[in-house]
Amino acid sequence: MGDCCEIHQEEPPKQKKEKIEKKPREEERKESSKKQDQNRINALQMLETIPAGDWTRAVEVASTLEQRGSDRELCRSAAKAAERICCQERGLDALTEQGAVQSLLQAWQTHRNDTSMSVHTHNVVARFWERASGDDQWICLPAQLGVAKVLLSAQSEWLAEGHRTAVKLHEKGHKTAAMELYRLCIEQLTKEHGADSQCTLQAQNNLAVLLEECQQFQEAEKLHTEVCKQMEAKFGAEHGDVTSSKFNLAALKAKLGHLAESESIYRQVLEVRERTLGPQHSNTLRAKANLADIIRRQNRLEEAEGMLKNLVDQAHVSFGRDDPTTLKARCQLAHVLAGLGDEARNRQAEAQLREVVSRREQKLGPSHPETLTALGRLAFVLEGSNPREAEQLNEQIWQRLDSLAPAEKRRARARSGGFVLGLAELGEPEREEALLRQVVERRSATLGATHPDTLAARAELAAVLSRKDGEEAKAESLALRREVANLSETCLGLEHVETLAAKAALAGAILRSLGPDANPVDVKAAKAEAEELHLKACRESLQLAGR
């Protein structure tokens, strides 16, 4: 009994002692909880007071999202603050660099059922893609690419938006950014939908086209071929995406010089489109136009002529006389007619081109790339029959290009002066030639043989010599044209207006150098060289005019 009493006597003090010890701990917890509540209130107030575009507060948003990602209300306020910050470009930069966008996405995935937070998050993402589609350098930065990769894997809607952004960048000519984004999209599309899904194959087709534009022909051909095989196996030969993919492959084969393969593929595309879309459909006519061009390049000119006359008639009926498809077909027909070489067809080619130039000038403007292309083709056709007008037309082209080109690509021509240029019109061509030779010599001595002003003077001397009778003058003119063209490309670059003018002038000089008794083999080689020079100048002019 004594032991029991002792035990009972000692128990109350123990209980009392425990109560004494617990009391400060409970108070600490209450104080800590109160402090946490106050910190939370402070954080909410801080987020709510962040003004629009204040990029300096991006770090606070990022910190809140990273440390308090489980707190729905705080995350909602942080998302709202992030939307306000990113209304200006610098704000979006800061959010991206601080990792706030990735933290926001993680918080959004945790609280997907919060409607308000979803709206703010989607608005931030929309702002990101909008910026990406218009700023190719920005999207290629490491932080931005990191965000893009996370977005592409976060939601199918954003993956589709990423692909659309890549297409926009591609269309604007931002090739590096577009290629980077295409590859990211293809990687994610393959994971989500499979390598043979329609969306994956469409993205691969777009990448193959871009690779081709970037001169990466081997990879482009391999990818085009794989896409064609997979699409045809899955969707059948008559599916629109299949014929589109084959069309792109045929175009690449033609660019690589594989004309027989290109012709075969184009014929397959044309046969399917005539059957499924009809002979008058724009896609059908486009395939026919490209096939006719392949036939022309294989020197089957009469076959190409018949096909193109039919194409012009179909385009005229379907789209009208001023439609781009009709006018392009007429340019192609003129090209073939001029190539056939007889006088009657040359006149037909000239008439076709004059009308195309007139209609394009009225509809598109005198400096539009397509107008300049037709004008250049007309000048080339006139080289044999009317070289003086051809020279005048070419000068119009270079003047128009000078007005479009950036300052560093324009001609800086120090002409020899109105006095020298007017001597020929006054009946003193010999004196004009002599003075020009003096100008060339002085500029070569003082400025150097490769200075733009020296090259301009040599080009003027070549033009004067080309108008003289006699084989010796024509041979010297041609030699000068070659030197000027080569030096211009080396010193000024291929895209410089002076270089383009020199190449076009060289093409004309080659054609004019052909005498009536020239060897047929030499004539064919000279015409091919002139044609290649002209087409090269046209391609570069198009790029320069389209900037």
Side-chain angles (χ1 to χ4, degrees), residues 306-496:
M307 186 176 288
L308 285 165
K309 283 182 175 178
N310 178 259
L311 175 63
V312 169
D313 291 340
Q314 287 179 308
H316 188 187
V317 170
S318 298
F319 308 115
R321 191 177 295 275
D322 291 330
D323 187 83
T325 303
T326 308
L327 296 176
K328 185 177 180 181
R330 294 182 72 178
C331 274
Q332 284 184 270
L333 176 58
H335 195 168
V336 170
L337 290 169
L340 284 163
D342 60 80
E343 189 176 341
R345 285 190 170 105
N346 274 337
R347 286 198 300 269
Q348 291 175 33
E350 181 184 335
Q352 291 276 4
L353 287 167
R354 287 190 188 280
E355 188 167 350
V356 170
V357 168
S358 174
R359 291 182 181 279
R360 283 183 174 171
E361 283 182 334
Q362 291 174 14
K363 189 161 186 171
L364 303 175
S367 298
H368 191 279
E370 291 182 15
T371 305
L372 296 177
T373 301
L375 197 60
R377 174 52 61 179
L378 175 58
F380 187 72
V381 167
L382 289 170
E383 287 289 1
S385 60
N386 193 344
R388 190 70 174 178
E389 185 182 0
E391 187 178 338
Q392 292 169 352
L393 290 177
N394 275 321
E395 182 57 31
Q396 288 182 36
I397 295 171
W398 314 133
Q399 287 177 2
R400 294 176 190 182
L401 274 179
D402 275 333
S403 68
L404 297 171
E408 67 275 11
K409 300 291 185 182
R410 296 174 193 163
R411 295 180 300 173
R413 308 198 80 174
R415 295 184 175 275
S416 49
F419 173 69
V420 174
L421 294 175
L423 287 174
E425 296 176 6
L426 294 172
E428 298 185 61
E430 291 79 10
R431 193 178 174 197
E432 177 189 29
E433 180 188 339
L435 286 172
L436 276 172
R437 288 187 186 279
Q438 291 178 24
V439 171
V440 169
E441 287 177 10
R442 283 199 301 271
R443 290 183 183 175
S444 297
T446 57
L447 301 175
T450 60
H451 192 279
D453 292 350
T454 307
L455 295 175
R458 296 178 77 181
E460 289 180 40
L461 177 58
V464 168
L465 291 170
S466 70
R467 293 192 285 270
K468 289 182 69 176
D469 295 329
E471 295 301 317
E472 187 177 338
K474 284 184 169 51
E476 185 182 359
S477 174
L478 180 57
L480 274 171
R481 291 294 191 193
R482 286 192 186 281
E483 289 177 14
V484 171
N486 292 334
L487 288 171
S488 295
E489 183 171 352
T490 302
C491 301
L492 303 176
L494 185 57
E495 293 184 346
H496 199 283

Side-chain angles (χ1 to χ4, degrees), residues 35-205:
K35 188 176 181 180
Q36 287 177 5
D37 289 343
Q38 187 59 49
N39 287 341
R40 185 172 180 276
I41 291 169
N42 292 340
L44 285 169
Q45 289 175 343
M46 177 271 295
L47 291 169
E48 291 297 331
T49 57
I50 292 177
D54 188 353
W55 61 272
T56 62
R57 310 291 291 278
V59 64
E60 298 172 56
V61 173
S63 177
T64 301
L65 289 166
E66 187 177 346
Q67 296 174 14
R68 309 291 289 272
S70 60
D71 189 318
R72 179 196 298 266
E73 189 176 1
L74 270 174
C75 288
R76 185 191 305 133
S77 293
K80 189 176 181 180
E83 183 183 355
R84 290 197 304 274
I85 290 173
C86 77
C87 72
Q88 293 184 7
E89 289 187 354
R90 188 66 189 88
L92 184 59
D93 291 346
L95 289 170
T96 307
E97 291 158 9
Q98 294 294 334
V101 178
Q102 290 97 319
S103 298
L104 176 59
L105 292 173
Q106 290 175 3
W108 167 73
Q109 288 173 335
T110 303
H111 308 292
R112 275 180 179 267
N113 60 343
D114 190 302
T115 305
S116 177
M117 186 177 178
S118 291
V119 169
H120 298 311
T121 303
H122 278 72
N123 287 341
V124 171
V125 172
R127 182 75 184 93
F128 177 88
W129 287 128
E130 180 186 2
R131 175 82 180 277
S133 65
D135 191 336
D136 61 309
Q137 295 182 350
W138 183 80
I139 188 58
C140 284
L141 294 171
Q144 279 71 358
L145 283 175
V147 171
K149 198 165 186 176
V150 172
L151 288 174
L152 295 175
S153 60
Q155 187 169 307
S156 295
E157 176 189 341
W158 294 338
L159 178 54
E161 186 59 41
H163 185 231
R164 283 192 291 270
T165 300
V167 171
K168 289 176 184 175
L169 289 166
H170 187 173
E171 289 172 345
K172 292 176 181 178
H174 302 321
K175 295 177 181 178
T176 303
M179 190 175 296
E180 194 73 49
L181 204 48
Y182 274 142
R183 292 191 189 279
L184 289 175
C185 289
I186 289 167
E187 180 184 348
Q188 192 60 37
L189 286 166
T190 303
K191 286 180 184 177
E192 290 191 13
H193 304 287
D196 63 345
S197 69
Q198 187 172 2
C199 54
T200 305
L201 293 172
Q202 286 174 340
Q204 287 180 321
N205 179 73

Side-chain angles (χ1 to χ4, degrees), residues 212-366:
E212 179 184 339
E213 292 172 5
C214 294
Q215 311 293 308
Q216 298 179 33
F217 295 124
Q218 189 173 358
E219 188 180 354
E221 185 176 18
K222 181 180 177 182
L223 190 54
H224 269 312
T225 304
E226 290 174 359
V227 169
C228 279
K229 286 180 180 178
Q230 291 188 55
M231 279 191 170
E232 189 164 7
K234 183 156 188 177
F235 305 117
E238 296 189 353
H239 193 278
D241 285 349
V242 176
T243 55
S244 178
S245 181
K246 283 187 173 182
F247 183 96
N248 291 336
L249 178 59
L252 177 56
K253 295 281 188 184
K255 190 175 287 185
L256 295 172
H258 306 156
L259 300 183
E261 291 179 73
S262 177
E263 180 182 346
S264 175
I265 298 169
Y266 272 133
R267 287 193 184 278
Q268 293 173 33
V269 172
L270 180 60
E271 188 272 327
V272 170
R273 286 182 174 176
E274 283 183 330
R275 189 173 65 253
T276 57
L277 302 176
Q280 303 293 115
H281 193 278
S282 59
N283 286 347
T284 306
L285 297 181
R286 190 177 176 212
K288 183 179 281 190
N290 283 20
L291 175 59
D293 191 57
I294 296 300
I295 292 170
R296 176 195 65 78
R297 289 176 60 184
Q298 295 177 83
N299 210 34
R300 288 148 50 194
L301 299 182
E302 291 185 352
E303 183 182 350
E305 179 189 12
M307 186 176 288
L308 285 165
K309 283 182 175 178
N310 178 259
L311 175 63
V312 169
D313 291 340
Q314 287 179 308
H316 188 187
V317 170
S318 298
F319 308 115
R321 191 177 295 275
D322 291 330
D323 187 83
T325 303
T326 308
L327 296 176
K328 185 177 180 181
R330 294 182 72 178
C331 274
Q332 284 184 270
L333 176 58
H335 195 168
V336 170
L337 290 169
L340 284 163
D342 60 80
E343 189 176 341
R345 285 190 170 105
N346 274 337
R347 286 198 300 269
Q348 291 175 33
E350 181 184 335
Q352 291 276 4
L353 287 167
R354 287 190 188 280
E355 188 167 350
V356 170
V357 168
S358 174
R359 291 182 181 279
R360 283 183 174 171
E361 283 182 334
Q362 291 174 14
K363 189 161 186 171
L364 303 175

